Amino acid sequence: MTAETIQAPFKLAAAQYPIERHRNLDGWKAKISNYVEQAVSHGSRILVFPEYASMELAALLDNSTDGDLHRQIEAMQMFSDEYLQHHRRLAERHQVYITTASFPFRTETGRYQNRVWLCSPEGRLGYQDKLQMTRFENEDWSIQAGDSLQLFETRYGRIGILVCYDSEFPLLARRLIEQGADIIIVPSCTDTLAGHHRVRYSCLARALENQCYVVQSPTVGMAAWNEAVDINIGAAAIYTPMDYGFPANGILAEGELNKAGWVYAELDINAMKKLRDNGQVLNHRDWDGQMRPELCQVSSYIV
């Protein structure tokens, strides 16, 4: 998707999103609408939802899918179109960008992929599939990896999306940066504090390595009724390089662990680009230094 870039700073909102039960689809729609309206009321122009928060729709299925994850995601496909269109309508109505919570989406080939859509103010849509699958997705759920990275041109800069575990692989982020990404969005869903910190520190590292913004949005809270997302631990955050004009710890904003709500921050793409030219360190520029052929030959010594 393409758009004329706005140079001024703008506000972004990252959700700490609780998995909850709803009696019907209208109840779920009302929740999403309320979340979006709250973020918009705070001036947010980009709204980020987490990985697999869509699984709360499984509460609307009949009991025949209980305990059977494969039947559950198959049955959830009945909601996929309205799921996407509801976010699309909200993005158009409020003139914002929304990255949807990821959805275990069945493609035309019959494969299930962990998909995030980006909805634009003009009603355009793009999507990013998760590329690196966790053991749970591979071994228990049969969710399959996507096969390409996408870069989204928006009014506020170029956005790439790395879904949760993808953030732990630096070359994926680097490919997005080399194509011009200014912001990397990381929707996450982790069921242990260790898992949350793996994603958290990976996001910090990606921001440092590439001198870019990285945004993490997690699911939070307990949902014992759903095996796939029964425990959710995390805190949303917006990460930056640790350099001139940015926080010394690389955390521009961070939420309280496991507390539902939004985390807000103001992003300045121009300031980030200037840092790449005039920072105390120049990680973005110096990345290729580690790729020198002579460094591939490691000498061995007995000491």
Side-chain angles (χ1 to χ4, degrees):
M1 65 178 59
T2 60
E4 183 178 351
T5 301
I6 295 172
Q7 299 300 316
F10 63 92
K11 186 172 283 189
L12 177 146
Q16 298 188 173
Y17 188 89
I19 305 290
E20 297 173 328
R21 301 194 76 151
H22 301 283
R23 292 185 176 181
N24 50 50
L25 191 60
D26 286 341
W28 171 82
K29 286 183 181 180
K31 177 184 177 181
I32 297 296
S33 296
N34 289 338
Y35 257 76
V36 169
E37 288 164 8
Q38 182 181 18
V40 170
S41 72
H42 282 75
S44 304
R45 310 316 303 162
I46 298 176
L47 284 60
V48 181
F49 285 98
E51 182 185 35
Y52 284 135
S54 61
M55 290 306 298
E56 63 185 354
L57 289 172
L60 306 182
L61 301 174
D62 62 50
N63 295 336
S64 67
T65 66
D66 289 353
D68 188 332
L69 293 175
H70 294 88
R71 291 187 66 187
Q72 193 173 81
I73 62 171
E74 181 180 358
M76 277 186 61
Q77 302 311 306
M78 72 175 74
F79 303 124
S80 63
D81 185 63
E82 187 56 29
Y83 181 83
L84 178 57
Q85 295 307 321
H86 185 55
H87 288 89
R88 184 180 192 172
R89 288 190 293 266
L90 288 170
E92 287 187 276
R93 181 185 311 158
H94 296 288
Q95 286 296 287
V96 296
Y97 291 92
I98 298 175
T99 61
T100 70
S102 74
F103 191 102
F105 182 72
R106 184 174 60 217
T107 69
E108 293 179 355
T109 65
R111 301 168 66 197
Y112 289 98
Q113 294 183 299
N114 186 359
R115 179 165 293 182
V116 174
W117 285 274
L118 178 60
C119 307
S120 82
E122 297 79 19
R124 292 191 291 263
L125 299 170
Y127 67 84
Q128 176 66 60
D129 292 329
K130 190 173 184 177
L131 301 173
Q132 295 285 131
M133 312 315 293
T134 63
R135 291 191 64 189
F136 173 77
E137 289 170 307
N138 265 330
E139 299 170 15
D140 298 328
W141 216 1
S142 299
I143 304 290
Q144 299 186 43
D147 55 13
S148 62
L149 284 164
Q150 313 296 329
L151 187 68
F152 304 96
E153 299 269 359
T154 78
R155 300 177 186 178
Y156 304 103
R158 297 182 179 93
I159 293 175
I161 300 172
L162 296 177
V163 183
C164 199
Y165 191 39
D166 289 346
S167 69
E168 299 180 30
F169 296 86
L171 294 183
L172 295 179
R174 189 63 191 180
R175 291 186 187 110
L176 289 171
I177 295 300
E178 288 171 346
Q179 295 302 311
D182 304 302
I183 305 166
I184 294 176
I185 287 174
V186 180
S188 68
C189 178
T190 52
D191 61 359
T192 65
L193 191 57
H196 163 64
H197 283 305
R198 282 196 297 270
V199 179
R200 179 177 187 264
Y201 289 118
S202 295
C203 289
L204 271 168
R206 304 297 82 84
L208 181 154
E209 293 162 353
N210 298 296
Q211 293 180 298
C212 67
Y213 290 104
V214 180
V215 180
Q216 182 183 2
S217 168
T219 51
V220 298
M222 305 295 290
W225 49 271
N226 190 295
E227 181 182 349
V229 288
D230 53 347
I231 302 171
N232 301 274
I233 296 174
I238 295 89
Y239 304 104
T240 73
M242 303 155 198
D243 209 332
Y244 297 138
F246 292 91
N249 63 359
I251 302 173
L252 184 60
E254 186 172 32
E256 180 181 337
L257 189 70
N258 297 335
K259 182 179 180 180
W262 288 105
V263 173
Y264 302 100
E266 186 173 85
L267 278 59
D268 187 335
I269 300 300
N270 281 340
M272 186 67 70
K273 289 180 177 178
K274 289 177 181 177
L275 182 70
R276 290 179 176 179
D277 295 326
N278 299 296
Q280 186 176 19
V281 291
L282 298 173
N283 302 78
H284 177 269
R285 183 202 68 183
D286 294 338
W287 174 271
D288 289 340
Q290 65 186 312
M291 306 298 184
R292 300 196 307 271
E294 62 270 25
L295 297 183
C296 295
Q297 303 299 319
V298 180
S299 300
S300 178
Y301 293 92
I302 298 175
V303 294

